[in-house]
Coordinates of all heavy atoms in Angstrom, one line a residue:
V275 N -7.7 18.5 16.9 CA -8.1 19.9 16.6 C -9.2 19.9 15.6 O -10.2 20.6 15.7 CB -6.8 20.7 16.1 CG1 -7.2 22.0 15.5 CG2 -5.8 20.8 17.2
A276 N -9.1 19.1 14.5 CA -10.1 19.1 13.5 C -11.4 18.7 14.0 O -12.5 19.3 13.7 CB -9.6 18.1 12.3
V277 N -11.5 17.6 14.9 CA -12.8 17.2 15.4 C -13.4 18.2 16.2 O -14.6 18.5 16.1 CB -12.6 15.9 16.2 CG1 -13.8 15.5 17.0 CG2 -12.2 14.7 15.3
T278 N -12.7 18.9 17.1 CA -13.3 19.9 18.0 C -13.7 21.1 17.3 O -14.6 21.8 17.7 CB -12.3 20.2 19.2 OG1 -11.1 20.6 18.6 CG2 -12.1 19.1 20.1
Q279 N -13.1 21.4 16.1 CA -13.4 22.6 15.4 C -14.4 22.4 14.2 O -14.7 23.3 13.5 CB -12.1 23.3 14.8 CG -11.2 23.8 16.0 CD -10.0 24.5 15.5 OE1 -9.7 24.5 14.3 NE2 -9.3 25.1 16.4
A280 N -14.8 21.2 14.1 CA -15.7 20.8 12.9 C -17.1 21.3 13.1 O -17.5 21.7 14.2 CB -15.7 19.3 12.7
D281 N -17.8 21.4 12.0 CA -19.3 21.6 12.1 C -20.0 20.3 12.0 O -21.2 20.2 12.4 CB -19.7 22.5 10.9 CG -19.0 23.8 11.0 OD1 -19.3 24.6 11.9 OD2 -18.2 24.1 10.1
L282 N -19.4 19.3 11.4 CA -20.0 18.0 11.2 C -19.0 16.9 11.3 O -17.9 17.0 10.7 CB -20.7 18.0 9.8 CG -21.3 16.6 9.3 CD1 -22.5 16.3 10.2 CD2 -21.7 16.8 7.9
F283 N -19.3 15.8 12.1 CA -18.5 14.7 12.2 C -19.2 13.4 11.7 O -20.4 13.2 12.2 CB -18.1 14.5 13.7 CG -17.3 13.2 14.0 CD1 -16.0 13.1 13.7 CD2 -18.0 12.1 14.5 CE1 -15.3 11.9 14.0 CE2 -17.3 10.9 14.7 CZ -16.0 10.8 14.5
I284 N -18.6 12.7 10.8 CA -19.3 11.5 10.2 C -18.5 10.3 10.5 O -17.3 10.2 10.1 CB -19.5 11.7 8.7 CG1 -20.1 13.1 8.4 CG2 -20.4 10.6 8.2 CD1 -20.0 13.4 6.9
A285 N -19.0 9.3 11.1 CA -18.3 8.0 11.3 C -18.9 7.0 10.4 O -20.1 6.8 10.3 CB -18.4 7.5 12.8
I286 N -18.0 6.3 9.6 CA -18.5 5.4 8.6 C -17.9 4.0 8.8 O -16.7 3.9 8.8 CB -18.2 5.9 7.2 CG1 -18.8 7.3 6.9 CG2 -18.7 4.9 6.1 CD1 -18.3 7.9 5.6
G287 N -18.7 3.0 8.9 CA -18.3 1.6 8.9 C -17.2 1.3 10.0 O -16.3 0.6 9.7
T288 N -17.5 1.8 11.2 CA -16.5 1.5 12.3 C -17.3 1.0 13.5 O -18.4 1.6 13.8 CB -15.6 2.6 12.6 OG1 -14.8 2.3 13.8 CG2 -16.3 3.9 12.9
S289 N -16.8 0.0 14.2 CA -17.6 -0.6 15.3 C -17.4 0.3 16.6 O -18.1 0.1 17.6 CB -17.1 -2.0 15.6 OG -15.7 -1.9 16.0
G290 N -16.5 1.2 16.6 CA -16.4 2.1 17.8 C -15.9 1.3 19.0 O -16.2 1.6 20.1
Q291 N -15.0 0.3 18.7 CA -14.5 -0.5 19.9 C -13.1 -0.2 20.2 O -12.5 -0.7 21.2 CB -14.7 -2.0 19.5 CG -16.2 -2.3 19.5 CD -16.3 -3.8 19.6 OE1 -15.5 -4.6 20.2 NE2 -17.3 -4.3 18.9
V292 N -12.4 0.5 19.3 CA -10.9 0.7 19.5 C -10.6 2.2 19.7 O -10.9 3.0 18.8 CB -10.2 0.1 18.2 CG1 -8.7 0.4 18.4 CG2 -10.4 -1.4 18.1
Y293 N -10.1 2.4 20.9 CA -9.7 3.8 21.2 C -8.3 4.1 20.7 O -7.5 3.1 20.6 CB -9.8 4.0 22.7 CG -11.3 4.1 23.2 CD1 -12.1 3.0 23.4 CD2 -11.8 5.4 23.3 CE1 -13.4 3.1 23.7 CE2 -13.2 5.5 23.7 CZ -13.9 4.4 23.9 OH -15.3 4.5 24.2
P294 N -8.0 5.3 20.4 CA -8.7 6.5 20.7 C -9.8 6.9 19.6 O -10.6 7.7 19.9 CB -7.7 7.6 20.7 CG -6.6 7.1 19.8 CD -6.6 5.6 20.0
A295 N -9.8 6.2 18.5 CA -10.7 6.6 17.4 C -12.2 6.5 17.9 O -13.0 7.3 17.6 CB -10.6 5.7 16.2
A296 N -12.4 5.5 18.8 CA -13.8 5.3 19.3 C -14.3 6.5 20.1 O -15.5 6.7 20.3 CB -13.9 4.0 20.1
G297 N -13.3 7.3 20.6 CA -13.7 8.5 21.4 C -14.0 9.7 20.6 O -14.4 10.7 21.2
F298 N -13.7 9.7 19.3 CA -13.9 10.9 18.5 C -15.4 11.4 18.5 O -15.6 12.6 18.5 CB -13.4 10.8 17.1 CG -11.9 10.5 17.0 CD1 -11.4 10.0 15.8 CD2 -11.0 10.8 18.0 CE1 -10.0 9.8 15.7 CE2 -9.7 10.6 17.9 CZ -9.2 10.0 16.7
A299 N -16.3 10.5 18.5 CA -17.7 10.9 18.4 C -18.1 11.6 19.7 O -18.8 12.7 19.7 CB -18.6 9.7 18.2
Q300 N -17.6 11.1 20.8 CA -17.9 11.8 22.1 C -17.3 13.2 22.1 O -17.9 14.2 22.5 CB -17.4 10.9 23.3 CG -17.7 11.6 24.6 CD -17.3 10.7 25.8 OE1 -16.7 9.6 25.6 NE2 -17.5 11.2 27.0
L301 N -16.0 13.2 21.7 CA -15.3 14.5 21.7 C -16.1 15.5 20.8 O -16.2 16.7 21.2 CB -13.9 14.3 21.1 CG -13.0 15.5 21.0 CD1 -12.7 16.1 22.4 CD2 -11.7 15.2 20.3
A302 N -16.5 15.0 19.6 CA -17.2 15.9 18.7 C -18.5 16.4 19.4 O -18.8 17.6 19.5 CB -17.6 15.2 17.4
H303 N -19.3 15.4 20.0 CA -20.5 15.7 20.6 C -20.3 16.8 21.7 O -21.1 17.8 21.8 CB -21.1 14.4 21.2 CG -22.4 14.6 21.9 ND1 -23.6 14.8 21.3 CD2 -22.7 14.6 23.2 CE1 -24.5 14.9 22.2 NE2 -24.0 14.8 23.4

Side-chain angles (χ1 to χ4, degrees):
V275 170
V277 169
T278 53
Q279 295 182 351
D281 299 294
L282 175 64
F283 172 81
I284 312 168
I286 304 171
T288 176
S289 61
Q291 291 194 32
V292 175
Y293 283 83
F298 295 164
Q300 180 177 2
L301 180 65
H303 178 77

